[in-house]
Amino acid sequence: LQRGSVVALPTETVYGLAGDAMNDEAVTRIFESKSRPRFDPLIVHLPHRDSLPDVAQVPEEIESILPKFLDRFWPGPLTILLPKQPAISDLITAGLPHVAVRISGHAVFRKVIGQLGRPLAAPSANRFGRISPTSASAVMEELGGEIPLILDGGACREGLESTIIGIAPGPKKPVVTILRPGPVTREDLKQLGKIQAVRREAGSIEAPGQTDSHYAPIKPLKLLADPADFTPEPDKRYALLSYRGDPADGYLSLTDFVETSVLSPGSGKLPEAAVRFFYSLRQLDQSSADEIIAEPLPKRGLGVAIMDRLERAAAPKTKGEGRDGAHQV
Ligand code: TXA
Ligand code: MG
């Protein structure tokens, strides 16, 4: 990392592909290794809170409220958009005025960034538009041969990418905009501020990770809201991504699935479903099925973030979009 190379590192959310955020050559390597278009900005990870002013500005209006969020959620799976410092290159922010910052709570990540003592740019360590890796072997599948080193820190504790928010002052409480739902839930954030709905403006990249088709398996994926809507095509093989593997939900017996993966067997615990989500999707993608059928999950708590990823994984890929194509917001 000191020499400007890139290294895949574990974080509590997903594995990241890290490089020195202050070294444009390293940052360029990140984009190239994952075939990521230059208009998709990178998250900057800080070694500690004191280094925040090196990377981002804290506007006066949120000076008093920001520490509440940092005290509560850092280190951890929360990324915050703040105006960038000039030292952060336009490469990292894709020319945008804001930089996305977070501090990972993963022991291995903290040790590496702590010894380096510099901010690290680190997007998820997958090829652009594909499933995020939650284990070292998943990084190997995605980027093996492209990058010189993967540090194996075991499976990721959260299993979904960090929550990304913007913070603005409000009349009574700060106003939080959730730009990407994640492990820090709306319910968690509501305790500190008012939550504002996201506006999705065509052509804007304010809403991060918002490529319509994203987190996509190679096989087509159908999110089936109602099992009654299923009409199997003859000669097509199907795999099932099941929420809790309960026959009463009506999915298990729809057809002769070549493979079934259950996110949280029995009681359907959302944290367990989140941890297993990308792993299960990857497994089904490697099965002999022609298509993956996914059961919906309840849209509350962590279920919101899982459903966000599922909806994107199911979104039709328009021409040139997805793995290597255009980023549409
Ligand atoms: O949990 C995570 O956040 C992981 C770990 C490795 O830290 N990282 C991650 O990075 O998910 P990535 O690049 O896969 O997703 C970050 C999203 C991207 O969709 C990007 O468009 C958005 O955040 N983003 C980053 N910087 C931004 C900025 N300055 N303005 C708007 N969106 C930004
Ligand atoms: Mg990503």
Side-chain angles (χ1 to χ4, degrees), residues 151-230:
L151 208 52
D152 189 348
C156 299
R157 193 170 66 229
E158 302 283 358
L160 291 177
E161 305 88 345
S162 62
T163 305
I164 305 182
I165 63 164
I167 305 176
K172 283 192 201 129
K173 274 176 149 189
V175 179
V176 177
T177 312
I178 302 176
L179 299 161
R180 177 173 71 181
V184 173
T185 63
R186 188 188 181 85
E187 290 81 352
D188 296 332
L189 291 162
K190 243 165 63 182
Q191 298 173 11
L192 293 188
K194 192 171 163 337
I195 313 292
Q196 190 176 50
V198 197
R199 281 175 303 132
R200 291 189 80 197
E201 279 168 29
S204 122
I205 198 172
E206 245 245 81
Q210 303 299 304
T211 325
D212 288 331
S213 160
H214 212 104
Y215 312 108
I218 292 167
K219 294 185 200 304
L221 181 142
K222 192 176 282 162
L223 179 56
L224 194 64
D226 184 343
D229 294 341
F230 184 69

Side-chain angles (χ1 to χ4, degrees), residues 14-171:
V14 301
Y15 274 69
L17 180 61
D20 184 343
M22 303 302 195
N23 177 341
D24 279 358
E25 233 172 84
V27 174
T28 302
R29 278 204 186 102
I30 295 174
F31 280 99
E32 281 170 359
S33 309
K34 53 177 285 173
S35 310
R36 184 179 180 121
R38 299 290 176 94
F39 53 74
D40 197 359
L42 307 179
I43 294 179
V44 174
H45 296 65
L46 306 177
H48 36 71
R49 225 163 114 168
D50 298 347
S51 46
L52 181 63
D54 301 339
V55 168
Q57 297 162 29
V58 178
E60 217 178 308
E61 314 92 89
I62 64 163
E63 220 166 28
S64 62
I65 54 183
L66 183 67
K68 295 194 178 94
F69 288 83
L70 306 189
D71 290 346
R72 180 72 161 269
F73 299 113
W74 275 11
L78 183 72
T79 298
I80 304 176
L81 280 189
L82 291 168
K84 80 173 189 76
Q85 287 291 11
I88 292 295
S89 78
D90 284 337
L91 260 181
I92 289 192
T93 64
L96 295 167
H98 288 74
V99 59
V101 283
R102 87 173 186 101
I103 296 185
S104 169
H106 194 286
V108 174
F109 194 96
R110 293 189 76 174
K111 198 158 183 181
V112 172
I113 197 169
Q115 284 188 21
L116 187 72
R118 295 168 72 80
L120 284 172
S124 53
N126 50 277
R127 278 172 291 139
F128 178 68
R130 293 242 29 234
I131 305 170
S132 294
T134 53
S135 67
S137 63
V139 180
M140 193 69 183
E141 282 166 28
E142 289 291 322
L143 300 174
E146 299 288 335
I147 58 174
L149 183 66
I150 302 168
L151 208 52
D152 189 348
C156 299
R157 193 170 66 229
E158 302 283 358
L160 291 177
E161 305 88 345
S162 62
T163 305
I164 305 182
I165 63 164
I167 305 176

